[in-house]
């Protein structure tokens, strides 16, 4: 995950990412994040991921109407992520990745890419929720 976090940290804007960078199976960012955090010790529940997704989706939809309001909504997601980490609902490594991603969101194009990335993440996470064997049947 450190390599992925470094890769995300090097980009200036989220909208620079192409769909193939995050959406494709096996090598995409969303696939890797979902696989890592749906397995083992640092496992996140799908319900916790959906809570975060819901907050992010709300900010992304707001960006279509009012960018300034969307940025305010995005900024209010940070404390919610820290709260979830403090309650041990998400591991700090996941908090770091989300924080890195949110830091790259500055304009409408970034919000659209964030929405697409999060949709891919939730989709892969749902597939992995019951284990890799379930995913391999798709």
């Amino acid at each position: 995950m450190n390599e992925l976090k470094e890769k995300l940290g090097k980009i200036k804007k989220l909208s620079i990412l192409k769909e193939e960078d995050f959406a494709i199976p096996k090598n995409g960012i969303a696939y890797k994040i979902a696989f890592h955090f749906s397995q083992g010790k640092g496992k996140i529940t799908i319900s916790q991921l959906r809570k975060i997704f819901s907050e992010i989706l709300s900010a992304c939809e707001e960006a279509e109407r009012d960018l300034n309001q969307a940025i305010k909504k995005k900024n209010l997601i940070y404390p919610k992520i820290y709260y979830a980490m403090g309650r041990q609902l998400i591991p700090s490594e996941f908090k770091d990745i989300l924080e890195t991603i949110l830091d790259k969101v500055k304009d409408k194009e970034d919000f659209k890419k964030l929405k697409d990335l999060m949709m891919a993440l939730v989709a892969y996470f749902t597939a992995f929720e019951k284990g890799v064997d379930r995913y391999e049947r798709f």
Side-chain angles (χ1 to χ4, degrees), residues 1 3-4 7 21-39 94 97 117 120-121 124-125 128:
M1 279 295 101
E3 179 183 314
L4 185 61
K7 179 181 178 178
D21 292 332
F22 65 85
I24 59 170
K26 310 277 191 257
N27 294 319
I29 293 168
Y31 180 96
K32 288 179 180 179
I33 293 171
F35 184 80
H36 182 80
F37 291 107
S38 65
Q39 313 291 312
F94 187 66
I97 288 174
L117 172 62
L121 179 61
Y124 283 125
F125 208 97
F128 290 133

Side-chain angles (χ1 to χ4, degrees), residues 3 9 13 27 32 42 44 46 54 56 77 79-80 82 84 93-95 105-106 110 134:
E3 179 183 314
K13 293 171 43 79
N27 294 319
K32 288 179 180 179
I44 301 168
I46 190 67
S54 176
I56 290 173
I77 295 170
K80 293 174 183 179
Y82 274 78
E93 189 179 27
F94 187 66
K95 182 263 315 168
V105 178
K106 299 178 181 5
D110 292 331
R134 179 176 176 218

Side-chain angles (χ1 to χ4, degrees), residues 36-89:
H36 182 80
F37 291 107
S38 65
Q39 313 291 312
K41 187 179 174 184
K43 186 176 179 176
I44 301 168
T45 64
I46 190 67
S47 63
Q48 189 58 45
L49 182 63
R50 286 189 179 276
K51 285 180 186 179
I52 294 167
F53 174 69
S54 176
E55 295 288 333
I56 290 173
L57 186 60
S58 176
C60 292
E61 289 172 350
E62 185 66 38
E64 295 172 14
R65 295 183 294 276
D66 184 344
L67 182 59
N68 289 330
Q69 280 300 111
I71 290 171
K72 288 177 185 178
K73 275 188 168 188
K74 179 199 78 153
N75 290 339
L76 291 173
I77 295 170
Y78 290 102
K80 293 174 183 179
I81 293 169
Y82 274 78
Y83 176 78
M85 183 198 66
R87 294 208 46 229
Q88 299 180 341
L89 300 171

Side-chain angles (χ1 to χ4, degrees), residues 75-136:
N75 290 339
L76 291 173
I77 295 170
Y78 290 102
K80 293 174 183 179
I81 293 169
Y82 274 78
Y83 176 78
M85 183 198 66
R87 294 208 46 229
Q88 299 180 341
L89 300 171
I90 63 170
S92 63
E93 189 179 27
F94 187 66
K95 182 263 315 168
D96 291 342
I97 288 174
L98 286 175
E99 192 172 23
T100 301
I101 290 169
L102 289 173
D103 287 347
K104 306 302 176 184
V105 178
K106 299 178 181 5
D107 59 28
K108 285 185 179 186
E109 292 80 24
D110 292 331
F111 275 102
K112 180 174 181 344
K113 198 65 71 166
L114 175 62
K115 181 180 176 181
D116 292 345
L117 172 62
M118 289 305 295
M119 288 175 61
L121 179 61
V122 169
Y124 283 125
F125 208 97
T126 301
F128 290 133
E129 184 182 23
K130 302 281 185 194
V132 177
D133 293 337
R134 179 176 176 218
Y135 172 75
E136 293 302 324

